[in-house]
Amino acid sequence: MKKHPHLARKLSLLYSQCINPSIQTNADLATELGISRQAISKWTHGSETNEGDRIPNSQIQNVSVLFGIEPHWFTLEIDKFDARLQQKFELDSSGHHIGPEKLSVSLLPITNLQVFGREAELNSLEKAWKEAKTNVMQVIAFGGVGKSTLINSWLSSLDSNKYLGAKRVYAWSFYWQGSGAEVKSSGDYFIEHALEWFGDERPTEGTPWSKAARLANLIRSARTLLILDGLEPLQYPPGHNQGLVENPAVALLIRELASDNNGLCLITSRLPVSDLISFQDGRVQTLELDHLTTEAGIGLLKSLGIEGENSEFVYAVNEYAGHPLCLSLLGGYLNVVHDSDIDKFRELESLIDAQGLGAHARKLVRAYLAWFKNSQENALLYMLGLFDRAVSLDELKALSNKEPIANLTQELVKLTKMQWGYGLKKLEDANLISIDNRTGTTMIDCHPLVRDFLADYLKHEQPEVWEKGNSLIFRYLKNTATENPKNREQLEPLFRAVIHGTRAKLFEEAFQLYFERIKKRYCMLTDGSHHTDQSCIKAFFSKAWSEPVEDLSEEAKFHLLSSAATNLMSLGKIGEAIDPSVISINGFIAQGKWLEAAMAAGPFTSMLIATGRLDEAISLMDELEDCVDKSNNIAIQAISWNFRAYAYYLHGDNKKAKDLFEQAEEILIRSELEIPVTFPTISSYYCKFLLDTGEHQQALQRSLKTFAWRQLKSWQVAIDTTSLYASDLLVLGLIFLQLGDLKNAEKHLNQQVELFKSADEWLYLPTGLISRAKYFIESNNFLEAEQDLEEALSISVRTDAKFAQWEACICFAELSLKQQNYGSGLSYLDRARKLPGMEIYRFREAEIAALGKCLEVNARQAAR
């Protein structure tokens, strides 16, 4: 692959557009650099020792400086390079702007536009936009330090200048989507919403990866300012994987824009985005906000109308360490309660607290609640504390009319329109809430920290209001949600209802809602998100992931533990999945629920195999053999034989495997069963066994039979999932590859990778990528093969999926052999052999030995 593709055309564009008027030919450039014209000719056309299309590392920076562009522009394809030059030309021209073609900033939090002590930060933002050298800028600070206020202030400045050449401006805040595990799935909703806004005709179609790639291309198609506010709910917290974006689509979008962007992606978060580390070469900038200086803090308080002696201002600002949110709350409190007198600050309860600014803000909110006691303002704050996102005034009024609850709806139900307005204005004046009327619907919100403090106060000090209020919202959302939701947006009220139901301690009702209206309908059958599923499951646990709440029935507890285990496995969180797997299996056995125990053991067995623990998987199946027999269910018996046969095959015992597979087949090929089948069957294990043991035509016929069952909706596929469908496509693709049908192999292997990705199947995705890499190797597309194998190895290392690590290393060795890179191949083969636990996976012993011998022979010959 050329390092600087189409270099001659790129230099020609630079000359013809007079980017540097003194350089219009290769000769001019050579003169400026102090080198010969022939040297530049070698850069573009190559020589006997140079491949061409490559500026030497020693000169790339010098050339870039002469033309005022970034070095990485030369690595772009010619159309993108040309687009960057056009963008630069527009920015360097007269500066006349007509405003963006499309604009959406209404989802940003409502804040004051006036900022104090942030001149340098505002200048940095404007410089990043004007110079167009930065692809992504991240603004990092703790909650309440003023990230959103800074962005809103800068946007106001941009607006007065017609947005300085931006063609589109699109802003999104992840805070309004809620908090906790639920937000991780809101990244998917953001992607779909943004795709629709940017003009994609099928925003709900495709995998998270394909959606993110489409969105990145749409954003880059014109100079765009993209603002992602409050990203931290989608990031891993401090600890392992700190700062990485957990949602795969959002993570890919951010990386795509960091690598190439015609505009600017602006991110605010409490944590630096770890996904951007490899782009810290000028393409990504980090702006860290500190607390306000004493002077700026005094300015903030005075802007709120606070009056008094300067010494008191200094003391107050220092007491709150210059934290903008705390100072804003303090100013609002003094305005409402003490006639704006800074001296009254000392009458508050002491705010010196070892736990820091969270305690300061909490005590200020508590002071407000005491001041507003038994008033409509207090009831409004309580209502807002029940929600984890912005809420419309219409929703608040509708809820208030549903049921009279003391200290909550009872104080609101009889309010006139004027009284609603007065109460909200009073809270807004106190800087406790923000009100947004820009969309035609009155939306009410408060800072996430204030919201968290209100929720914590209600939960611990007003538990009756907390439970009755959440019960009210639970029933309201359950009854108003779309009966048959078609997409995530329509399904979202049901997820919210489950969360509110668990908060109200209506665990059985919430459990039934989850299983009947979410799990059974949505599940993971199409494009469901495991993160979305996890948010609901987690709400039923007092200790994740081992202790469901006591108020649930024992059977419900074990179902939730089993669901949690399967969910965690799919997300690649193997260590966390073990306890709920074991507890649920043992629990079902103790209850005599033999079928449920066997069903729960299936995913656990698959996980053990995938993580290099084949011996444990075989032991588990031995232990559960009696359980399977007691279930008196021939379908589960067939599945059990299938699992055992696959394990024996991996262990290298093909005779035992063949016998068990054939016993299972006698049941699976029956046209009908007399019993209902409430669990999935698996065909891919047997088809893969037939393929690997040389029965290619039989493997093809058996694989096609599975797809025929799907068309006929036979009992064998009555319960189907995306991952099972993807596994069947994977094996069929490999069969076509073995038969030499590269066109069908490519089709099926591409499709299975996209399906694994769409289902968030992180444990099994590496196997899909490795399988597709085999096709790329066969078709001599080595770059694509290497990319798939690198991704597979990266994911499998992160999830501890040793089986996939082992297979990826072997496939890398095969790729190295075809590339004649024998030393690398031997290194990968050695890495595979040293993986713990994989020594008992003997099904490829002869193949690996032959591969190793071939690599060694070729390495010796190459060394001569």
Side-chain angles (χ1 to χ4, degrees):
M1 184 178 180
K2 304 292 186 182
K3 185 172 184 179
H4 301 134
H6 308 291
L7 180 57
R9 289 178 61 191
K10 288 174 181 175
L11 291 175
S12 178
L13 284 171
L14 289 168
Y15 303 152
S16 64
Q17 295 186 27
C18 293
I19 302 299
N20 184 332
S22 65
I23 304 176
Q24 297 188 23
T25 64
N26 283 353
D28 293 337
L29 178 59
T31 299
E32 289 287 342
L33 294 172
I35 60 177
S36 68
R37 185 174 58 182
Q38 289 76 16
I40 294 177
S41 179
K42 291 179 181 179
W43 296 358
T44 56
H45 302 300
S47 64
E48 291 182 359
T49 57
N50 294 299
E51 61 178 343
D53 282 333
R54 182 186 182 95
I55 300 175
N57 292 336
S58 60
Q59 293 286 3
I60 184 67
Q61 187 65 38
N62 297 331
V63 175
S64 302
V65 169
L66 285 172
F67 292 108
I69 64 177
E70 289 296 308
H72 76 270
W73 286 20
F74 285 105
T75 67
L76 302 175
E77 290 300 321
I78 189 66
D79 57 339
K80 292 183 178 179
F81 181 86
D82 188 25
R84 283 297 179 95
L85 289 185
Q86 294 302 319
Q87 170 191 319
K88 177 176 172 59
F89 179 80
E90 290 175 12
L91 288 171
D92 291 344
S93 61
S94 65
H96 175 70
H97 305 293
I98 60 174
E101 299 168 358
K102 202 170 183 183
L103 174 72
S104 174
V105 295
S106 62
L107 291 178
L108 285 176
I110 304 300
T111 68
N112 292 325
L113 295 179
Q114 190 175 13
V115 293
F116 296 87
R118 301 299 190 201
E119 292 76 15
E121 289 84 353
L122 287 169
N123 289 336
S124 294
L125 289 171
E126 186 156 347
K127 182 180 179 181
W129 176 254
K130 283 184 175 180
E131 294 187 353
K133 295 179 180 179
T134 301
N135 294 338
V136 176
M137 175 171 273
Q138 51 179 343
V139 180
I140 308 300
F142 182 68
V145 171
K147 299 183 295 293
S148 299
T149 302
L150 177 72
I151 301 307
N152 280 329
S153 179
W154 181 58
L155 283 176
S156 176
S157 173
L158 280 182
D159 181 68
S160 64
N161 289 287
K162 303 294 185 183
Y163 286 90
L164 296 176
K167 300 299 183 184
R168 286 95 51 95
V169 180
Y170 179 82
W172 183 274
S173 178
F174 292 98
Y175 277 124
W176 78 274
Q177 282 292 321
S179 58
E182 181 183 6
V183 179
K184 293 181 177 63
S185 62
S186 76
D188 301 325
Y189 179 48
F190 152 68
I191 295 289
E192 290 181 6
H193 187 280
L195 276 170
E196 184 176 6
W197 191 87
F198 279 97
D200 190 276
E201 295 180 355
R202 304 181 309 279
T204 63
E205 294 184 14
T207 68
W209 283 264
S210 64
K211 289 178 185 176
R214 296 204 313 266
L215 180 55
N217 288 331
L218 287 169
I219 291 170
R220 289 188 292 229
S221 66
R223 187 156 164 76
T224 299
L225 174 59
L226 173 69
I227 300 170
L228 303 180
D229 179 68
L231 186 67
E232 63 268 16
L234 271 66
Q235 294 174 266
Y236 284 98
H240 186 58
N241 294 328
Q242 174 176 325
L244 288 173
V245 177
E246 189 167 357
N247 183 284
V250 177
L252 176 61
L253 173 67
I254 290 172
R255 291 195 301 271
E256 281 283 320
L257 294 179
S259 66
D260 181 27
N261 192 2
N262 288 335
L264 178 68
C265 174
L266 183 56
I267 297 170
T268 73
S269 177
R270 299 181 192 179
L271 293 169
V273 182
S274 298
D275 305 75
L276 297 174
I277 289 174
S278 59
F279 302 96
Q280 302 284 352
D281 54 2
R283 289 177 286 175
V284 171
Q285 287 191 44
T286 300
L287 193 61
E288 295 190 1
L289 296 190
D290 293 324
H291 290 183
L292 298 180
T293 63
T294 301
E295 181 182 359
I298 292 172
L300 171 58
L301 286 171
K302 288 185 174 180
S303 76
L304 297 172
I306 308 304
E307 300 173 346
E309 294 294 326
N310 192 66
S311 60
E312 292 297 284
F313 278 105
V314 171
Y315 188 86
V317 172
N318 290 336
E319 187 74 3
Y320 285 93
H323 189 272
L325 174 63
C326 291
L327 293 175
S328 181
L329 290 174
L330 174 64
Y333 179 79
L334 293 173
N335 272 324
V336 172
V337 181
H338 292 300
D339 296 324
S340 308
D341 186 356
I342 190 65
D343 293 342
K344 300 297 183 182
F345 149 72
R346 294 182 180 275
E347 294 183 11
L348 283 167
E349 181 184 353
S350 173
L351 297 176
I352 302 299
D353 191 306
Q355 295 188 8
L357 296 167
H360 290 344
R362 181 176 287 108
K363 288 177 180 177
L364 278 168
V365 174
R366 187 184 295 275
Y368 273 120
L369 293 175
W371 173 255
F372 289 131
K373 189 175 182 180
N374 299 324
S375 68
Q376 64 191 41
E377 290 81 15
N378 207 68
L380 276 167
L381 284 174
Y382 281 5
M383 284 290 283
L384 293 173
L386 295 170
F387 290 90
D388 55 6
R389 69 202 65 219
V391 60
S392 72
L393 179 58
D394 291 339
E395 278 186 297
L396 288 180
K397 289 180 176 179
L399 287 164
S400 299
N401 290 322
K402 288 289 181 184
E403 179 184 339
I405 301 173
N407 296 319
L408 195 66
T409 58
Q410 195 167 285
E411 282 71 22
L412 302 175
V413 67
K414 295 181 180 179
L415 292 185
T416 64
K417 182 178 181 180
M418 183 177 294
Q419 288 171 322
W420 274 101
Y422 175 78
L424 292 171
K425 183 65 168 62
K426 202 168 182 180
L427 295 177
E428 187 178 31
D429 289 343
N431 295 318
L432 284 167
I433 68 169
S434 59
I435 300 174
D436 183 6
N437 293 304
R438 290 175 295 181
T439 61
T441 300
T442 300
M443 298 298 297
I444 305 161
D445 201 2
C446 47
H447 193 281
L449 287 178
V450 175
R451 186 192 300 138
D452 289 346
F453 299 150
L454 286 170
D456 184 73
Y457 175 84
L458 290 175
K459 190 184 302 183
H460 295 101
E461 301 194 32
Q462 297 287 339
E464 185 175 359
V465 172
W466 174 256
E467 289 181 20
K468 286 185 176 180
N470 275 295
S471 174
L472 176 67
I473 298 171
F474 167 68
R475 300 188 195 287
Y476 172 78
L477 291 173
K478 182 175 74 169
N479 294 331
T480 58
T482 303
E483 185 62 30
N484 293 301
K486 305 296 183 184
N487 53 45
R488 289 191 181 97
E489 184 177 1
Q490 292 179 352
L491 197 69
E492 189 248 3
L494 288 175
F495 284 114
R496 290 172 56 196
V498 171
I499 303 299
H500 285 288
T502 57
R503 290 176 179 173
K505 297 184 179 178
L506 301 173
F507 293 108
E508 279 294 340
E509 280 190 70
F511 173 77
Q512 292 302 321
L513 174 65
Y514 170 65
F515 268 78
E516 295 300 325
R517 292 183 64 182
I518 296 177
K519 188 72 172 176
K520 286 186 177 179
R521 297 185 185 185
Y522 190 61
C523 196
M524 297 317 137
L525 300 184
T526 52
D527 64 343
S529 165
H530 287 297
H531 291 301
T532 309
D533 195 39
Q534 187 180 95
S535 69
C536 281
I537 298 172
K538 191 172 185 178
F540 294 100
F541 281 78
S542 57
K543 180 182 177 182
W545 297 98
S546 58
E547 296 180 11
V549 295
E550 286 300 323
D551 294 28
L552 287 164
S553 67
E554 290 299 301
E555 186 172 352
K557 289 179 183 179
F558 296 134
H559 277 295
L560 284 164
L561 284 160
S562 178
S563 296
T566 304
N567 174 275
L568 291 164
M569 290 175 208
S570 298
L571 289 171
K573 298 180 179 181
I574 293 167
E576 296 178 60
I578 294 173
D579 281 351
S581 294
V582 173
I583 295 169
S584 63
I585 293 169
N586 291 338
F588 283 131
I589 291 174
Q591 288 189 324
K593 301 279 186 182
W594 314 117
L595 180 61
E596 287 80 358
M599 289 168 59
F604 188 38
T605 303
S606 295
M607 185 198 78
L608 291 173
I609 291 172
T611 53
R613 295 146 85 171
L614 182 60
D615 52 348
E616 292 180 46
I618 293 173
S619 296
L620 176 64
M621 287 185 282
D622 288 341
E623 292 171 14
L624 290 175
E625 191 169 7
D626 184 56
C627 186
V628 171
D629 291 340
K630 289 180 178 178
S631 72
N632 292 319
N633 186 303
I634 60 171
I636 203 69
Q637 180 68 76
I639 302 307
S640 175
W641 284 334
N642 234 324
F643 269 98
R644 293 174 70 83
Y646 183 59
Y648 285 134
Y649 153 65
L650 295 177
H651 196 259
D653 193 336
N654 285 355
K655 185 179 186 309
K656 277 187 178 179
K658 185 173 185 294
D659 291 343
L660 285 171
F661 272 132
E662 289 178 351
Q663 288 183 52
E665 282 295 289
E666 290 178 8
I667 296 172
L668 291 175
I669 62 174
R670 295 183 187 182
S671 58
E672 60 183 33
L673 291 183
E674 297 177 355
I675 57 172
V677 178
T678 58
F679 44 84
T681 63
I682 299 175
S683 294
S684 57
Y685 289 167
Y686 183 43
C687 296
K688 184 68 163 59
F689 171 77
L690 292 171
L691 174 65
D692 288 351
T693 53
E695 302 292 340
H696 302 155
Q697 286 299 327
Q698 189 179 350
L700 176 63
Q701 295 306 314
R702 178 59 180 84
S703 181
L704 293 175
K705 184 188 291 289
T706 305
F707 289 95
W709 286 339
R710 283 193 173 91
Q711 288 184 329
L712 297 171
K713 298 182 178 179
S714 299
W715 69 265
Q716 293 91 340
V717 291
I719 305 297
D720 206 0
T721 69
T722 302
S723 57
L724 284 176
Y725 182 42
S727 297
D728 290 334
L729 287 167
L730 181 158
V731 176
L732 183 57
L734 290 177
I735 294 170
F736 281 126
L737 183 63
Q738 186 65 44
L739 293 173
D741 186 345
L742 295 185
K743 183 176 180 180
N744 271 314
E746 179 186 25
K747 172 185 172 183
H748 290 88
L749 291 171
N750 279 334
Q751 191 176 356
Q752 56 92 18
V753 167
E754 294 304 306
L755 284 171
F756 276 131
K757 288 181 175 181
S758 74
D760 281 341
E761 289 287 355
W762 294 98
L763 186 60
Y764 305 113
L765 172 59
T767 301
L769 291 165
I770 294 164
S771 299
R772 187 170 67 178
K774 292 177 184 291
Y775 159 76
F776 286 134
I777 293 172
E778 185 64 27
S779 54
N780 294 320
N781 193 340
F782 300 148
L783 180 61
E784 296 286 350
E786 189 172 335
Q787 289 176 346
D788 270 359
L789 290 175
E790 285 178 351
E791 185 178 1
L793 199 53
S794 173
I795 294 171
S796 57
V797 168
R798 179 168 64 84
T799 60
D800 198 33
K802 290 187 174 62
F803 189 10
Q805 291 178 48
W806 183 72
E807 293 223 290
C809 287
I810 295 170
C811 199
F812 256 128
E814 294 169 336
L815 172 61
S816 299
L817 178 62
K818 289 204 72 171
Q819 292 177 310
Q820 300 181 6
N821 192 347
Y822 309 120
S824 176
L826 288 168
S827 177
Y828 275 115
L829 212 54
D830 185 58
R831 180 175 171 181
R833 287 170 175 149
K834 289 179 179 178
L835 279 169
M838 295 310 301
E839 64 278 356
I840 67 169
Y841 289 68
R842 302 191 182 104
F843 70 110
R844 297 183 68 177
E845 274 187 338
E847 177 189 352
I848 293 169
L851 175 61
K853 184 175 181 179
C854 187
L855 284 166
E856 288 172 355
V857 169
N858 281 281
R860 285 196 297 269
Q861 291 177 347
R864 290 174 185 170

